[in-house]
Amino acid sequence: MLKRALIQLAVLLVITAAAADAQLRQVQGSVRSGSTGAPLSGAAVTVPGTAAATLTNATGSFTLSVPEGAVLLRVSLIGYQAEEVAIPTGATPVQVALQEDVLNIEGVVITGQATTVARRNLANAVSTVTAAELVPVTAQTVERALQGKIAGANIQANSGAPGGGLQVDLRGVSSINAASEPLWVIDGVVVSNVAIQSNANAITGASAGSNASSQDNPVNRIADLNPDDIERIEVLKGASASAIYGSNASNGVIIVTTKRGLPGVTRITATQRVGFSQRSDQIGSRSFTREEAAATYPSLSPADLDRYFDSSGAPRQAFDLEELIADRSDMGSETSLSINGGDDNTRYYMSGLVLAEPGIIENTGYDKQSLRVNLDQRLSSRIDVGVNANVIHSLARRGITNNDNTGRSLYVALSSTPNFIDLRPGADGEYPENPFSNSNPLQTAAMVDNDEDVWRFISGVNTTVNLLDPEVTSQSLRLQANFGADYFTQENELFAPPEVQFEQAAFDVDNFRGTSLLSTSNNLNLNGNANLIHMFSPVGGVSATTSAGVQYVDRDMNIGRIVGENLIAGQRNVDAATAIQVFETRERVQTLGLYAQEELLLLDDRILLTGSLRADRSSANGDPGEFFLYPKASASYRFADLLSGLDELKLRVAYGESGNQPLFGQKFTALTATNNIQGLPALVVEGTAGDADITPERTREIEGGFDAVLLNGNANLEFTLYQQNITDLLLERTVAPSTGYFTQFFNGGELRTRGVEVALSATPVRTDQFVWVARATFSSNESVVTQLPVPSFRGLGFGTSLGTFEVAEGESATQIVGFVGLDDDGDPIVEQIGDANPDFRAGLANDLTFGNFNLYGLLDWQRGSDVINLTTLLYDLGQVSPDFELPEGVAEPRSVDECHPGCSGIERLGGFGTYTQPFIEDGSFVKLRELTLSYLLPAGLFGQVLGSVENARISLSGRNLFSIDDYSGLDPEVSNFGNQQIGRNIDVAPYPPSRTFWLSVSLGF
C-alpha cells in the first residue's frame, strides 16, 4: 500500500511540474445578465480541472491565463445558472450570458471551515436560504424569517412577546439535558445565541427562590441580527454535515453569510416601512348570570350583586378583559438603508436599520438599531483582507406573562377574574382593586416595567494569502485566517412600584412593598482559526482540495443580579430598597480544535469524495487536555440525461460524528456561600456532585438520499433519510445519602432519532411576462430512548396530574404521561397520553411575478405535537373558562371518559386529579406565515418624478395572518420553559400571539 501511494505521488508531482512549465495564453471576455443585459460583476470564471480562476470586474469583464490550445471556461455567479463555453485556440473575446438560477441549483455551499463545493456535487442535505427567500416579508428576527422554509427544522416561538424568543430544532431531539440550540457562525465568527433570563421569577414566583427561572420568557440573542444584512443562510442539519465543527455541532450548524460589496457603480437602497400589529386570537371568558355569580363567589354580598347585575339577573356590563389588555395596534416603523459598491481592489457594503415595533399590550414593544460595515480590500495579487463590523442596540419590553404562583402575571390574573368586573382606571387615573385576585392586570400592564436593553458588537477579520504563483494553473495553495469577537452587554430592569395592587397585598407579613430588579450580563466570544487550503488539478476532470487548520473559541459570560424589595418612597434604584439580595453567575469555556479534510472531484466533477477528521479539547470536559475525535466521510455521484425529463440524478451518502459539550460546571461539585454555621459564613455543598470524568455527548449519523434536476432545469427534488445515534448522554443519577450528595452528573444512555426530509422547488410557468416559482418542504422524525442506565424519570413539567414528560427506555424521548383513571385500589394509573414531537412539518411557498406585480405567500403546516394546556386549567380553576358551564341539553356533569374531548370546564375539573387528558390538546395547525403583494413602478417614471432613482417598489405584506387549528388556547406554538429539547409545548399564561401588517416603499439609487 505504501509503495503504491509513493508511485502515485511521484506521478502527480511529474504532472504538476509539467503543468507549471506549460505555456499560457490570455483569454478575455465579458459576462452579462441573460434577461436584462446588465453587466455582472463578481462572476467566477474558471477552467474546470485546473486552478485557473478569476472574477469579473465592475463592467463584467475578465482576463484569465489559460493553457495553450482549446479550453473549456465555466462561468458561475450566485443566483444564476452556470454556463460552460468552449474556447478554441486564438479565439476572439468571449461573450457569456447567464440566466437567473431561481431554484439555486448552481449554488455554492460551505463544506468545511474554509472550503466550498458546488451544490450540484454536494454529498449532504444542506438547506440554503437566500436573501430573496429570507425576507420577502419583514421580520423582527432571523429565526422568524426562517419559519417554514427549511426541511428538517422545527422553528417554534416560545410566546408571542415582541423581540424574539424562538427555538430552532434541527432533526428532532439530540439530547435530554445538554444544549439544544445549533451553533451559529456569522462570516466565520462563532457567535452567542444564549438566552439570559430576566429574573422576572423574583416577581412571579414561577420557581422556588428569587433567582432567575427558565420560565422567565427570555430573548435569544440571534434576535439581534438584521435580517436585511444577510446574503444567504446554510443549515448543516446533522453530524454527517457538521462534524467539521466538532464538539459544538450535535444540534447542527447554521452558517450566516452577510452581504458584500460588488465592484461597479455605487448603489443605494432605501426602504421605509410602516405598519401595526393586532391580537390574532383570544381565550374568551365565561358569561355569568346573577345566580351563577352568587354560587361561584360566596363572598359577594347582595349589594355587590346588585352593583354587577340588573333585576333580570343579567350583568349590567360585560368587559372583554383580553381586549382591554391586548388592544394596542399602534403604528410601528422600520427604516433601512444600504450602500454597495467599489472597484476591483476595494469593495464595501454598509447598512443601517432603525426599527420601532410596539407590542399589542401596553408598555411592551421592540426597538432595534443596527449599523454594519463590510469592507473587502485586495492588498496585492496574492493578499485579500475582509473586515466585518456590526453594532446593534435593542430594547425589548416584554411585560409580565408566563407561569406565575403569585397571581401577578397578566393571564394568570385574568384566569380568576370574571368579566362583569370593571378594572379600568377612574377619572382620577387610579386603578380599582381587583376583588377576585391580588392584582389588577390592567394596572400591572400599565405600571410594571420589564425591559431588556442590549448593546452588541460583532466583528471579524478575514485574510486570504495565495502562497503559490497565480499563473500556475494546476494547483493553488492559500492561507486563510479569521479572527472574530462577539461582545454584548445585556441589562434587565424590572420595576413594580409600591402602589401596584399585588405589591400592596402580597407581603402583608413583612410589609415589603415595591420591587426593583437589576441584572447586568456581559458575554464575550473570542474565536480565531487558521487554515491551509491546497487545490490540485493535475489532469482534466480531476481535482483535489486538501484543507487543514486550527480553531480556538473562548466563551466568557458574567451575570450579576440584584433584587431589591421595599422601596423607600417608591424609588426605582435598587439601592433604595431595604431588603437586597445579590446573585452572580460566571461561566468560561475554552475550546481548541484541529482538523484535516480532503475533497476529491473525479470524472469531470461527477464524483465527489470527502473525508475529514476533527480533534477537540475543551475546558468543559472532565479532562481539559483530552482530545476527542470526530470523523466524517461522504460520497456523491451524478448521472446525466438518464430519462426524458430527468436532466440529472445525484446519489449521495454521508457519515459523520459530532459532539455536545457538558454544560458549564457539570464536572464540578457546586458550593454555595449563602449559608452560615453557628453564625459564621461557610461554603456548603448544594447536593449535586460533579463528575471529574465527564465527556461530551456523541452523535453518530448516517444519511443517504438523492437529488434530481427535472424538466430542463425547471424543477429540483431532494430526498433524504437519516439516522442519528446519540451516546454518552449527560444524565443525573441518585447516589447514596451517605456520600453527602443527593445526585451526580454522569455520561450514560443512548438515544436514536430517525427521519425523512423532502424539498421540492419548481418553476411551473416561466415566460417573459409571468414567472411562477414554487417551493415545498416536508420533514418527519421520531426519537426513542434506546438505553437508560437509570430508572425512568419525570419532572420536566408540573407533575402527572397536569401532564409531564417522562424519559423511559424504549419510549419516545418527548412522550407526555399523565393520569388515565384509577386502578382497583383507587390509585391513579399513569400512562402515555401524548407526544410533543410533531408527526410532520411541511411548508409551501409560492412566488408569482406578472409584469411589474409580484405576489408571494408561505403556508406552514404542522401535524401532531401535543400541548399541555395549563392555561385552560387555570381558567377552569378560576371558573371563568368560556365553556365552563354544562352544554345545552346536559343536566348533570358527565365523567371525563364520557365527554372527552368536548368536556366543559366543570366536567374537566370533576376529573382533575384522576384524568389528565382534557388538558392535553392537539397542536396541529396551518398558518399563513407570510403574504406580500408588491408593484415595481415603471422605469419611465424615474426620470420624470424620482430623479436619480433607478428602481422603486411598493408593497403590502403581512405575517402570521391566520391560523387554522382546533387549539383552545392562544397559540399551539408555545413553550413556557423556553429553549430546551424536552419539556417544551407547555402553555401557561403566555404573551398572546399577533398578526402584523406592513406598507413598504423601497427605492434603489
Side-chain angles (χ1 to χ4, degrees):
M1 292 294 291
L2 178 60
K3 181 179 179 180
R4 182 179 179 184
L6 291 174
I7 293 173
Q8 291 176 335
L9 177 60
V11 172
L12 291 177
L13 289 174
V14 171
I15 295 173
T16 302
D21 293 336
Q23 292 184 348
L24 304 176
R25 65 187 177 99
Q26 302 288 314
V27 172
Q28 296 179 336
S30 64
V31 181
R32 294 182 175 274
S33 167
S35 57
T36 66
L40 297 177
S41 61
V45 184
T46 62
V47 178
T50 78
T54 189
L55 298 176
T56 56
N57 61 17
T59 62
S61 302
F62 68 89
T63 300
L64 180 64
S65 296
V66 302
E68 286 287 357
V71 296
L72 185 70
L73 289 186
R74 189 173 193 274
V75 183
S76 61
L77 179 64
I78 293 177
Y80 292 84
Q81 298 178 14
E83 289 287 339
E84 292 186 343
V85 183
I87 309 297
T89 302
T92 57
V94 61
Q95 305 288 332
V96 182
L98 299 184
Q99 303 297 328
E100 287 188 57
D101 180 21
V102 295
L103 303 184
N104 197 32
I105 296 173
E106 298 288 350
V108 175
V109 177
I110 295 174
T111 57
Q113 294 280 2
T115 56
T116 61
V117 70
R119 173 169 288 278
R120 61 179 184 159
N121 294 317
L122 187 64
N124 289 95
V126 175
S127 295
T128 300
V129 180
T130 64
E133 299 170 58
L134 185 66
V135 283
V137 177
T138 185
Q140 282 182 349
T141 67
V142 173
E143 319 94 291
R144 288 189 189 277
L146 287 173
Q147 284 182 301
K149 299 174 183 176
I150 301 173
N154 185 5
I155 304 175
Q156 180 182 1
N158 294 332
S159 79
L166 283 82
Q167 174 162 316
V168 179
D169 177 21
L170 302 177
R171 290 190 170 174
V173 175
S174 60
S175 180
I176 294 176
N177 292 318
S180 60
E181 278 287 308
L183 183 71
W184 289 79
V185 182
I186 303 175
D187 294 329
V189 179
V190 178
V191 300
S192 174
N193 190 32
V194 64
I196 299 175
Q197 310 294 337
S198 66
N199 206 16
N201 181 65
I203 287 180
T204 63
S207 296
S210 58
N211 208 347
S213 160
S214 61
Q215 304 181 63
D216 284 355
N217 194 16
V219 178
N220 51 304
R221 291 275 56 91
I222 285 300
D224 298 333
L225 300 184
N226 176 9
D228 286 333
D229 283 341
I230 295 174
E231 179 67 32
R232 70 182 185 276
I233 293 177
E234 290 156 3
V235 183
L236 313 183
K237 291 175 281 190
S240 61
S242 65
I244 201 69
Y245 289 92
S247 61
N248 286 308
S250 276
N251 301 313
V253 180
I254 299 179
I255 302 172
V256 179
T257 302
T258 61
K259 295 176 181 177
R260 318 297 300 185
L262 296 175
V265 178
T266 298
R267 300 184 183 278
I268 301 174
T269 301
T271 302
Q272 179 61 56
R273 300 182 177 97
V274 293
F276 63 93
S277 301
Q278 62 177 209
R279 180 167 47 92
S280 57
D281 204 354
Q282 66 177 21
I283 296 173
S285 184
R286 176 184 179 185
S287 295
F288 285 85
T289 65
R290 180 188 177 106
E291 182 180 1
E292 290 169 342
T296 304
Y297 306 107
S299 61
L300 291 178
S301 67
D304 293 330
L305 294 172
D306 289 340
R307 184 165 65 252
Y308 297 137
F309 298 91
D310 61 23
S311 57
S312 69
R316 297 185 184 275
Q317 288 181 292
F319 300 93
D320 187 338
L321 298 178
E322 288 180 271
E323 179 71 16
L324 292 175
I325 285 179
D327 65 340
R328 293 185 72 193
S329 55
D330 296 347
M331 295 298 294
S333 67
E334 179 181 283
T335 304
S336 64
L337 179 72
S338 66
I339 303 174
N340 179 333
D343 54 31
D344 292 344
N345 293 318
T346 305
R347 295 177 289 127
Y348 55 85
Y349 171 83
M350 296 179 287
S351 74
L353 170 76
V354 178
L355 169 68
E357 189 166 342
I360 58 174
I361 294 177
E362 186 176 1
N363 211 16
T364 67
Y366 183 60
D367 299 335
K368 179 162 64 181
Q369 304 88 42
S370 172
L371 178 65
R372 172 176 288 276
V373 177
N374 289 350
L375 178 65
D376 295 288
Q377 179 66 48
R378 171 159 291 180
L379 300 180
S380 70
S381 61
R382 295 196 181 193
I383 303 176
D384 294 286
V385 176
V387 179
N388 318 300
N390 191 194
V391 179
I392 309 151
H393 173 249
S394 65
L395 175 63
R397 300 180 300 280
R398 306 282 283 180
I400 305 297
T401 55
N402 264 25
N403 186 34
D404 172 273
N405 287 315
T406 61
R408 301 170 179 186
S409 177
L410 300 181
Y411 273 78
V412 172
L414 286 182
S415 70
S416 59
T417 305
N419 67 354
F420 54 77
I421 185 73
D422 188 357
L423 299 179
R424 297 174 299 176
D428 58 358
E430 296 293 326
Y431 286 87
E433 183 175 296
N434 182 358
F436 303 98
S437 171
N438 71 348
S439 69
N440 180 334
L442 301 185
Q443 183 191 47
T444 300
M447 300 180 65
V448 177
D449 298 332
N450 181 7
D451 298 342
E452 181 169 295
D453 197 305
V454 175
W455 280 96
R456 189 170 192 175
F457 177 71
I458 304 173
S459 181
V461 178
N462 302 280
T463 302
T464 302
V465 180
N466 292 305
L467 300 177
L468 287 183
D469 187 340
E471 294 297 317
V472 178
T473 59
S474 64
Q475 60 181 316
S476 66
L477 178 64
R478 69 182 190 273
L479 170 66
Q480 186 169 316
N482 170 276
F483 174 79
D486 173 21
Y487 174 78
F488 70 80
T489 177
Q490 173 180 320
E491 185 175 276
N492 291 88
E493 292 188 36
L494 285 83
F495 174 64
E499 59 268 29
V500 174
Q501 180 183 340
F502 66 72
E503 288 290 342
Q504 294 288 319
F507 299 108
D508 290 336
V509 176
D510 52 27
N511 241 1
F512 284 176
R513 293 178 176 173
T515 304
S516 183
L517 313 178
L518 177 64
S519 300
T520 302
S521 308
N522 297 287
N523 187 91
L524 176 63
N525 277 28
L526 294 175
N527 58 93
N529 60 73
N531 314 272
L532 273 176
I533 306 100
H534 179 252
M535 179 180 176
F536 183 39
S537 305
V539 293
V542 177
S543 68
T545 302
T546 305
S547 58
V550 57
Q551 182 187 45
Y552 174 77
V553 178
D554 187 331
R555 298 183 285 119
D556 190 353
M557 182 170 65
N558 188 359
I559 305 172
R561 306 184 189 278
I562 303 175
V563 179
E565 296 177 305
N566 197 31
L567 302 178
I568 301 172
Q571 295 296 301
R572 294 181 66 108
N573 289 4
V574 290
D575 61 354
T578 62
I580 298 177
Q581 300 178 70
V582 180
F583 306 89
E584 184 176 18
T585 301
R586 301 193 66 179
E587 298 182 6
R588 188 177 185 187
V589 177
Q590 297 170 306
T591 302
L592 176 67
L594 309 172
Y595 81 93
Q597 177 169 285
E598 182 68 38
E599 292 177 334
L600 291 175
L601 273 171
L602 308 172
L603 296 181
D604 292 326
D605 293 358
R606 293 202 177 277
I607 296 179
L608 174 67
L609 302 175
T610 302
S612 71
L613 182 65
R614 165 95 177 206
D616 265 12
R617 70 181 189 188
S618 172
S619 63
N621 300 331
D623 182 355
E626 181 181 0
F627 279 94
F628 294 85
L629 301 180
Y630 302 98
K632 169 188 171 183
S634 62
S636 68
Y637 185 86
R638 295 190 296 120
F639 299 89
D641 301 321
L642 291 176
L643 301 168
S644 176
L646 178 58
D647 308 338
E648 187 170 283
L649 176 67
K650 178 181 67 179
L651 302 180
R652 49 183 169 79
V653 63
Y655 172 83
E657 300 182 16
S658 60
N660 201 352
Q661 290 182 358
L663 298 180
F664 178 81
Q666 285 185 331
K667 68 178 182 179
F668 299 117
T669 299
L671 303 175
T672 177
T674 59
N675 292 280
N676 65 76
I677 298 176
Q678 295 183 349
L680 299 176
L683 290 174
V684 179
V685 176
E686 288 193 334
T688 299
D691 183 359
D693 298 319
I694 203 161
T695 65
E697 298 180 339
R698 180 174 292 269
T699 298
R700 297 175 174 87
E701 180 183 68
I702 186 166
E703 168 190 295
F706 67 85
D707 300 342
V709 180
L710 310 166
L711 305 175
N712 295 319
N714 286 311
N716 187 55
L717 174 65
E718 300 176 10
F719 178 86
T720 303
L721 293 172
Y722 64 88
Q723 176 171 305
Q724 295 179 343
N725 291 297
I726 302 97
T727 59
D728 298 325
L729 293 172
L730 294 167
L731 300 173
E732 279 189 77
R733 61 186 168 200
T734 302
V735 295
S738 59
T739 63
Y741 307 105
F742 300 110
T743 60
Q744 181 184 31
F745 296 115
F746 77 108
N747 291 101
E750 297 183 10
L751 179 68
R752 185 192 66 220
T753 299
R754 291 173 175 165
V756 58
E757 297 166 359
V758 183
L760 174 65
S761 56
T763 52
V765 180
R766 188 169 186 176
T767 68
D768 291 340
Q769 288 298 313
F770 181 61
V771 178
W772 174 15
V773 180
R775 294 183 174 88
T777 62
F778 173 90
S779 60
S780 176
N781 64 70
E782 69 170 3
S783 300
V784 176
V785 180
T786 56
Q787 181 181 334
L788 194 65
V790 296
S792 60
F793 58 90
R794 304 167 188 160
L796 302 171
F798 292 102
T800 46
S801 63
L802 306 175
T804 190
F805 291 83
E806 180 177 71
V807 177
E809 188 169 298
E811 302 294 340
S812 167
T814 51
Q815 68 166 339
I816 301 171
V817 301
F819 294 158
V820 295
L822 301 176
D823 61 18
D824 295 339
D825 296 327
D827 297 321
I829 302 170
V830 178
E831 293 181 1
Q832 179 178 349
I833 55 176
D835 198 305
N837 191 55
D839 298 332
F840 65 80
R841 293 292 301 259
L844 176 62
N846 284 283
D847 193 332
L848 309 175
T849 301
F850 182 75
N852 287 1
F853 286 94
N854 177 264
L855 177 64
Y856 165 85
L858 171 65
L859 289 173
D860 190 6
W861 180 16
Q862 172 179 285
R863 175 68 178 175
S865 185
D866 292 308
V867 181
I868 302 174
N869 188 353
L870 300 186
T871 304
T872 292
L873 173 62
L874 291 173
Y875 271 67
D876 286 349
L877 292 172
Q879 303 185 60
V880 296
S881 305
D883 61 345
F884 188 82
E885 301 103 324
L886 293 175
E888 187 174 349
V890 177
E892 296 291 334
R894 301 161 293 180
S895 69
V896 173
D897 283 339
E898 294 176 312
C899 63
H900 178 72
C903 290
S904 64
I906 192 171
E907 293 166 325
R908 290 190 295 265
L909 277 184
F912 181 57
T914 303
Y915 294 93
T916 308
Q917 300 102 315
F919 303 105
I920 309 300
E921 296 193 39
D922 182 10
S924 301
F925 62 77
V926 175
K927 290 190 176 184
L928 181 58
R929 289 288 186 195
E930 299 175 341
L931 182 67
T932 186
L933 175 65
S934 64
Y935 178 69
L936 182 66
L937 274 63
L941 292 178
F942 300 154
Q944 302 174 23
V945 180
L946 301 176
S948 60
V949 173
E950 187 176 65
N951 59 75
R953 182 179 296 273
I954 185 170
S955 62
L956 180 64
S957 60
R959 179 172 293 278
N960 291 328
L961 296 183
F962 68 76
S963 176
I964 302 174
D965 60 68
D966 293 327
Y967 188 63
S968 68
L970 291 168
D971 191 351
E973 280 190 274
V974 64
S975 178
N976 177 76
F977 285 96
N979 291 6
Q980 57 187 37
Q981 296 206 2
I982 297 177
R984 298 183 59 75
N985 290 28
I986 300 178
D987 181 341
V988 191
Y991 192 106
S994 62
R995 57 175 69 93
T996 58
F997 302 87
W998 292 95
L999 174 65
S1000 307
V1001 177
S1002 181
L1003 304 177
F1005 299 88

